[in-house]
Amino acid sequence: MSNESLANLLKEERRFAPPAELAAAANVTAAAYEQAAADRLGFWAEQARRLNWAVEPTETLDWSNPPFAKWFADGKLNVAYNCVDRHVEAGHGDRVAIHFEGEPGDGRSITYAQLKDEVSQAANALLELGVAKGDRVAVYLPMIPEAVVAMLACARIGAAHSVVFGGFSADAVASRIQDADAKLVITADGGYRRGKPTALKPAIDEALAKCPEVRNVLVVRRTGQETAWTEGRDVWWHESVGRQSTEHAPEAHDAEQPLFILYTSGTTGKPKGILHTSGGYLTQAAYTHHAVFDLKPESDVYWCTADIGWVTGHSYIVYGPLANGATQVIYEGTPDHPHQGRFWEIVQKYGVTILYTAPTAIRTFMKWGDDIPAKFDLSSLRVLGSVGEPINPEAWIWYREHIGGGHCPIVDTWWQTETGAMMISPLPGVTETKPGSAQRALPGISATVVDDEAREVPDGSGGYLVLTEPWPSMLRTIWGDDQRYIDTYWSRFEGRYFAGDGAKKDDDGDIWLLGRVDDVMLVSGHNISTTEVESALVSHPKVAESAVVGATDATTGQAIVAFVILRGTAADSADLVAELRDHVGRTLGPIAKPKRILIVNELPKTRSGKIMRRLLRDVAENRTLGDVTTLTDSSVMDLIQAKLPSAP
Ligand code: ATP
Ligand code: MG
């Protein structure tokens, strides 16, 4: 990629200062940037003291064998103790940890004291089933409290969990179980989605035909639906966990004890098994959750709408919030059941103050209409977060206006499964925000943008996003494949972590994420980012969502092909397509005009809501589709292919 990526000509120039009241009482002020810049390792050593260590670390970073990092290596701690017991010991046992909202409307609130009992019981059950420190446990559950309990129980005994999205196919589950060599699978009879009980266990039964190493399946009863049973292998959670003692002494594990393996979402290729360890990971998850959301555990009600099968659910439902003693909402189901205002009803019901969701959800809410959130009292909200994809300026403004009451700061948080925790984001009490930009590396994090020759680009130019120093919650390797770890992340630029994302720095030096490097288009010698063309399309009043790809073209190298979902009542027509092409031409320049625009009803997305552009590129170039195992719904691809009868 050269420096000459398109200037950002999108018209959104508004800037939003932090609310004065929030800034005055903010957990983190501008001084944190200076402190961390002056002594980065000292800064992280101080953040590690947020945790309770059984043995305090004396060493911060061991980078003697790069790119294999060790953080706080001579320290020992128990992650589950830090997320649960210590809050009870500090007198907060009666504080609600989890307000669980089931899709059918059932629910329960679990205090920290109750969570401690449940996690201890589950830890005892795992031990009874022969799970030992260092083993792997696969978790395939709906969004129910037992998912959190299962993860913490693994952490407590030093077994690594590997959470697989509930709803992945049997094949996708089997390959992950095999790759991690899991001994135990924790699942449920089913979960509720879109108003119906949806079975989960059949996929496990099918997967396990290929996984002879799995000794037991621990099954949570959630829906009560009929479930096939393998005697001797399958065990009910309520029987096995329910009869255990609520006493379990947490052992102190090494800071580098593996905590979990998690597979990436697969938007760019075959998923990678990312390994995270304990002390550094928990330090950064806790610090960023405290800093970026300005969490006040005594008064905030926090809600992250992610699934625990995604890294966001690991770091910002389980580990960060619980390490910080937060009260949070966990919702089982879909946003449109039984009506399209379900999320806002939940915000109103629990008085949610901090909401963390994804651009894909925000664009869906835009499509459904402003009148839906307007029916609910959202005045409790004070900070809004976004994660997963670049957020289009149009969607950012909509989020602020229609959800944030025109006053909530928005934190657009850039990070990856590999980074373990947030890396680039505004701070709500410090940053003057810019719609569409993640802006600046967090205190203690070093990020920049470089060109093909690894030279840092000047302000106003684009290139590749790199991280220039190791960070506490960084992945330690790709599970079982150190060489792939080196090749994927540390070989493109000497001594720097290659994130795989394109980015640019604006004239103030703020960072704008431009989508995957693999997705950047080269049209008649110009680099054009998919993100910018998509944002230009979404800024048209009739467009709700779009995905743009570059398809091989005989004359221009690549031609821009756009897939567009319309808002509410807008109808497909040749005139509209021409209007959209002109709109992009006017917004970004004639070179960025899509050659083809296809109006579609759905886009292929991963379970975490990310658009899978590589599949659209396969379609646009008439190729057989690549790996579709992480798609939410693979029938979407048939519908899109039907729209494209001939070669481009
Ligand atoms: P794979 O690596 O298998 O292709 P993936 O990268 O989609 O999967 P994740 O680790 O869940 O899996 O996603 C991380 C990516 O999501 C980032 O590299 C970036 O492209 C995108 N992303 C996340 N947050 C943001 C954000 N705030 N702004 C822009 N992009 C973001
Ligand atoms: Mg990735």
Side-chain angles (χ1 to χ4, degrees):
M1 200 190 313
S2 71
N3 291 352
E4 48 169 317
S5 70
L6 279 181
N8 184 56
L9 299 175
L10 294 180
K11 278 169 282 172
E12 185 50 69
E13 294 277 323
R14 275 176 285 175
R15 301 291 174 257
F16 299 94
E21 210 180 312
L22 195 156
N27 285 352
V28 174
T29 65
Y33 292 109
E34 287 153 40
Q35 187 205 341
D39 178 8
R40 187 175 60 91
L41 294 181
F43 171 82
W44 284 119
E46 186 181 317
Q47 301 316 321
R49 280 183 226 118
R50 301 176 169 280
L51 308 180
N52 283 47
W53 294 82
V55 177
E56 292 278 343
T58 62
E59 190 180 305
T60 302
L61 169 65
D62 175 353
W63 193 234
S64 58
N65 179 30
F68 299 96
K70 290 182 183 156
W71 282 85
F72 312 117
D74 62 347
K76 286 180 188 287
L77 81 172
N78 187 287
V79 168
Y81 171 84
N82 274 277
C83 291
V84 184
D85 308 42
R86 66 165 172 159
H87 306 309
V88 179
E89 289 170 13
H92 306 308
D94 292 337
R95 182 185 295 163
V96 171
I98 296 170
H99 288 296
F100 170 64
E101 171 93 4
E103 199 192 67
D106 61 324
R108 59 186 173 121
S109 292
I110 303 166
T111 64
Y112 273 96
Q114 290 166 330
L115 188 62
K116 174 173 180 281
D117 288 351
E118 288 193 32
V119 171
S120 301
Q121 286 185 303
N124 286 325
L126 294 185
L127 293 171
E128 189 181 271
L129 289 168
V131 179
K133 179 169 173 169
D135 286 348
R136 269 82 53 205
V137 173
V139 176
Y140 184 74
L141 284 170
M143 282 296 292
I144 54 177
E146 286 82 356
V148 178
V149 172
M151 291 162 74
L152 290 172
C154 290
R156 197 169 182 100
I157 66 169
H161 53 72
S162 166
V163 180
V164 181
F165 262 111
F168 269 178
S169 67
D171 279 347
V173 184
S175 66
R176 284 165 180 72
I177 290 174
Q178 287 161 355
D179 188 69
D181 192 15
K183 293 280 172 332
L184 174 79
V185 178
I186 305 180
T187 188
D189 49 359
Y192 291 95
R193 283 199 83 75
R194 302 212 154 75
K196 290 192 298 281
T198 310
L200 282 178
K201 185 157 177 293
I204 296 297
D205 290 332
E206 194 187 327
L208 291 193
K210 294 187 208 155
C211 306
E213 306 301 317
V214 173
R215 293 188 302 244
N216 291 104
V217 181
L218 191 53
V219 188
V220 176
R221 188 146 74 197
R222 167 66 183 138
T223 58
Q225 64 202 119
E226 187 102 29
T227 298
W229 205 254
T230 303
E231 282 306 329
R233 184 196 73 183
D234 299 349
V235 181
W236 282 114
W237 172 285
H238 57 269
E239 286 171 5
S240 168
V241 175
R243 66 180 148 73
Q244 303 294 329
S245 157
T246 54
E247 296 299 318
H248 175 270
E251 183 190 336
H253 303 298
D254 288 343
E256 286 295 339
Q257 175 73 25
L259 181 62
F260 64 84
I261 299 166
L262 183 64
Y263 293 81
T264 58
S265 88
T267 48
T268 57
K270 204 173 144 43
K272 303 174 275 283
I274 303 301
L275 177 69
H276 282 288
T277 60
S278 301
Y281 169 81
L282 194 63
T283 296
Q284 195 174 329
Y287 171 70
T288 52
H289 183 259
H290 159 88
V292 173
F293 293 123
D294 190 45
L295 178 91
K296 309 282 198 267
E298 317 74 36
S299 53
D300 275 317
V301 178
Y302 165 83
W303 182 23
C304 168
T305 69
D307 190 283
I308 47 136
W310 181 21
V311 71
T312 304
H314 284 56
S315 303
Y316 298 105
I317 292 177
V318 182
Y319 294 110
L322 295 177
N324 289 338
T327 294
Q328 69 178 315
V329 173
I330 290 183
Y331 171 55
E332 176 183 30
T334 48
D336 54 352
H337 188 81
H339 56 78
Q340 293 178 334
R342 184 69 187 268
F343 271 27
W344 318 123
E345 189 177 68
I346 292 173
V347 168
Q348 174 179 289
K349 174 172 173 185
Y350 295 102
V352 172
T353 59
I354 302 169
L355 178 70
Y356 193 26
T357 193
T360 179
I362 297 164
R363 291 186 300 252
T364 302
F365 300 136
M366 282 170 70
K367 183 169 69 181
W368 289 345
D370 310 349
D371 53 318
I372 294 172
K375 284 185 215 136
F376 299 90
D377 178 4
L378 307 180
S379 61
S380 55
L381 289 169
R382 65 180 198 94
V383 179
L384 302 177
S386 173
V387 60
E389 291 181 294
I391 177 166
N392 321 97
E394 189 79 10
W396 194 106
I397 293 283
W398 187 92
Y399 195 25
R400 182 176 162 101
E401 293 300 318
H402 295 279
I403 307 304
H407 61 84
C408 292
I410 294 179
V411 288
D412 173 9
T413 62
W414 178 88
W415 59 294
Q416 311 176 297
T417 310
E418 295 89 338
T419 68
M422 296 166 183
M423 302 294 282
I424 304 176
S425 169
L427 288 174
V430 179
T431 314
E432 188 182 63
T433 50
K434 297 178 179 176
S437 173
Q439 292 183 272
R440 185 170 174 192
L442 288 167
I445 301 300
S446 312
T448 191
V449 180
V450 298
D451 66 13
D452 264 317
E453 274 79 55
R455 285 178 306 235
E456 218 171 297
V457 303
D459 290 351
S461 301
Y464 305 95
L465 180 71
V466 294
L467 303 169
T468 55
E469 298 288 350
W471 62 101
S473 64
M474 65 192 277
L475 75 166
R476 298 306 194 253
T477 190
I478 292 178
W479 181 253
D481 200 345
D482 287 349
Q483 193 56 48
R484 190 175 177 206
Y485 167 65
I486 296 170
D487 294 344
T488 308
Y489 307 108
W490 297 96
S491 298
R492 181 71 180 77
F493 302 109
E494 173 85 42
R496 287 163 173 195
Y497 173 90
F498 171 57
D501 284 357
K504 82 177 173 211
K505 290 200 240 169
D506 67 15
D507 294 335
D508 304 324
D510 281 326
I511 295 176
W512 295 69
L513 276 307
L514 298 178
R516 309 317 174 87
V517 169
D518 315 36
D519 290 338
V520 170
M521 303 173 290
L522 192 62
V523 182
S524 305
H526 293 263
N527 281 306
I528 300 180
S529 101
T530 51
T531 302
E532 286 181 311
V533 180
E534 287 163 8
S535 286
L537 284 162
V538 172
S539 74
H540 188 281
K542 288 187 181 150
V543 174
E545 180 147 35
S546 84
V548 164
V549 299
T552 309
D553 184 275
T555 44
T556 54
Q558 279 188 318
I560 302 177
V561 180
F563 298 80
V564 165
I565 300 180
L566 299 178
R567 283 213 209 190
T569 52
D572 187 355
S573 71
D575 283 354
L576 177 61
V577 166
E579 187 181 319
L580 295 179
R581 293 186 67 239
D582 288 346
H583 176 75
V584 175
R586 271 196 310 278
T587 322
L588 290 177
I591 188 83
K593 268 193 185 180
K595 182 164 184 189
R596 311 182 64 184
I597 295 183
L598 286 125
I599 310 290
V600 295
N601 293 322
E602 298 282 352
L603 291 169
K605 287 185 184 161
T606 64
R607 287 244 142 204
S608 52
K610 293 172 199 287
I611 299 170
M612 283 244 220
R613 287 178 197 73
R614 65 178 166 81
L615 297 180
L616 294 172
R617 205 160 47 228
D618 291 344
V619 171
E621 295 183 341
N622 273 335
R623 260 196 313 271
T624 28
L625 296 182
D627 187 6
V628 294
T629 52
T630 63
L631 268 188
T632 317
D633 174 5
S634 51
S635 66
V636 167
M637 290 315 297
D638 301 336
L639 295 174
I640 291 173
Q641 273 170 318
K643 281 251 167 187
L644 257 177
S646 57

